Amino acid sequence: IQQEYTKVAMDRNRLKRQLRALLFSERIPLRIGVDLVVVIHPPTPRATASSLAKELLTLCRHAKAAP
């Protein structure tokens, strides 16, 4: 997450931790051999974990990265 997204490092780091936790907790199942690149657009810094999980799962299914 680049600095142009938000100038506050605390917001960028919190969002990175939330996304990483979603992927490693297996709430977002990915197919084997899939690399995932996430591009964040404002106003995501204050998004809740459940809304991030729902949107990320929807995007992964659309990209056929998740079953």
Side-chain angles (χ1 to χ4, degrees):
I1 300 173
Q2 296 181 351
Q3 188 173 2
E4 291 83 27
Y5 172 68
T6 178
K7 299 293 181 187
V8 182
M10 184 178 69
D11 289 336
R12 291 191 310 272
N13 291 336
R14 183 181 53 79
L15 186 55
K16 284 189 271 190
R17 283 192 305 273
Q18 283 181 325
L19 291 170
R20 192 175 304 121
L22 287 171
L23 292 170
F24 289 119
S25 70
E26 297 182 18
R27 287 179 60 189
I28 308 294
L30 293 178
R31 295 185 191 279
I32 295 174
V34 170
D35 291 331
L36 187 65
V37 177
V38 178
V39 179
I40 304 295
H41 297 281
T44 313
R46 297 293 176 202
T48 63
S50 62
S51 67
L52 283 174
K54 182 179 176 183
E55 188 169 351
L56 190 57
L57 182 58
T58 301
L59 291 171
C60 287
R61 284 185 178 149
H62 181 70
K64 296 185 171 100

